[in-house]
Amino acid sequence: MNLIWIFPIAFRDAAEPWQLGFQDPATPMMQGIIDLHHDIFFFLIVILIFALRMLVRALWHFHYKRNPIPERIVHGTTIEIIRTIFPSIILMFIAIPSFAPPYSMDEVVDPAITIKAIGHQWYRTYEYSDYNSSDEQSLTFDSYMIPEDDLELGQLRLLEVDNRVVVPAKTHLRMIITPADVLHSWAVPSLGVKCDAVPGRSNQTSISIKREGVHYGQCSELCGTNHAFMPIVVEAVSLDDYVSWVSNKLD
Ligand code: CUA
């Protein structure tokens, strides 16, 4: 028996009430995004404190009562060189670590499985193109949100679906993301994926989930009245469980 079935709530990767910050990362990609965020946040705090100190000091010292006759100096070469060079050095320190995540997102590392996520108004269709059933049909199913009235105890409102995307953990996956009607987006925070489904286009992204678990996401491009009601549930299981899921789905 899989641990996910015994403790279904403890293993969920979804947003929690009053959450600040990120969800637990389940892919190296999301780990990279969080590291970059923390990296840049360091500079943000330093700059914030420095700029605030300058602002307060200027307001204090150049108050008209404390400084009734204004200085006539308008130019200073040294200060101008410093205040140009120094921020560009800071920008360089921000830019260099920001190159790695987008380029590694673009990389497709010899995927074992290709899954096509097709956005519809307002549900999703998933196609596992690598497998064919006996009548030459590829593994395809629709995934609808479970309406509030049909929720069972412990299920997440607006996040649960009837058919989850089951994938193996610790395996390189290729996601092909496309819509059948309007602009949608396939976004799962804990996987570090937010990929737009653009009409007439197939977007590709790769995922490698580090651990077993249930990862929740939502449509992230306004696509009509039921935009809020087409969630994504990715269930990462062991390879054995995945193989038996596929063979069950195929017959
Ligand atoms: Cu589909 Cu918003």
Side-chain angles (χ1 to χ4, degrees):
M1 188 100 169
N2 199 312
L3 274 176
I4 294 168
W5 299 113
I6 306 170
F7 306 109
I9 296 167
F11 281 83
R12 289 188 304 199
D13 286 86
E16 41 188 274
W18 299 99
Q19 179 179 340
L20 295 168
F22 297 100
Q23 292 177 32
D24 285 346
T27 58
M29 204 54 256
M30 192 56 207
Q31 188 64 62
I33 292 169
I34 292 174
D35 288 346
L36 177 67
H37 168 269
H38 293 356
D39 238 21
I40 295 174
F41 212 87
F42 168 77
F43 292 101
L44 185 137
I45 297 295
V46 171
I47 292 165
L48 180 87
I49 290 168
F50 178 70
L52 215 66
R53 191 192 120 94
M54 282 210 301
L55 183 73
V56 170
R57 271 180 66 93
L59 287 172
W60 176 262
H61 289 292
F62 298 104
H63 189 268
Y64 72 101
K65 276 183 184 154
R66 226 167 270 109
N67 190 48
I69 306 144
E71 277 292 350
R72 293 292 178 161
I73 300 170
V74 289
H75 197 81
T77 315
T78 320
I79 190 72
E80 276 171 19
I81 288 171
I82 291 170
R83 74 176 176 213
T84 310
I85 303 276
F86 200 66
S88 44
I89 291 170
I90 295 174
L91 282 180
M92 217 178 64
F93 274 106
I94 293 173
I96 288 166
S98 78
F99 291 138
Y103 282 110
S104 44
M105 258 180 238
D106 212 32
E107 203 71 46
V108 176
V109 197
D110 190 25
I113 298 157
T114 300
I115 301 162
K116 202 165 159 188
I118 305 157
H120 297 268
Q121 280 176 315
W122 289 275
Y123 63 99
R124 287 169 194 284
T125 304
Y126 293 99
E127 218 177 281
Y128 289 62
S129 328
D130 297 322
Y131 318 108
N132 275 329
S133 61
S134 42
D135 54 341
E136 293 296 305
Q137 291 288 305
S138 66
L139 205 173
T140 307
F141 57 88
D142 291 340
S143 182
Y144 283 86
M145 188 194 77
I146 297 181
E148 220 172 317
D149 296 335
D150 299 345
L151 285 176
E152 281 166 32
L153 193 67
Q155 286 191 317
L156 296 168
R157 183 177 157 269
L158 304 185
L159 283 178
E160 219 73 52
V161 295
D162 54 358
N163 288 309
R164 293 169 166 184
V165 195
V166 177
V167 296
K170 302 184 185 81
T171 307
H172 286 289
L173 315 168
R174 167 167 43 203
M175 292 297 308
I176 305 280
I177 293 143
T178 191
D181 36 52
V182 299
L183 199 63
H184 297 275
S185 178
W186 201 81
V188 185
S190 58
L191 304 184
V193 177
K194 178 170 274 178
C195 188
D196 275 13
V198 185
R201 238 191 100 107
S202 285
N203 281 334
Q204 177 180 266
T205 186
S206 51
I207 308 172
S208 172
I209 305 177
K210 291 189 291 186
R211 54 183 162 80
E212 292 170 32
V214 186
H215 308 278
Y216 291 84
Q218 284 175 303
C219 184
S220 297
E221 285 284 6
L222 279 174
C223 54
T225 40
N226 286 347
H227 162 63
F229 312 119
M230 48 180 301
I232 299 144
V233 184
V234 178
E235 188 175 332
V237 297
S238 67
L239 194 59
D240 288 344
D241 288 348
Y242 174 72
V243 169
S244 56
W245 177 82
V246 168
S247 50
N248 275 335
K249 277 271 180 191
L250 277 179
D251 38 65

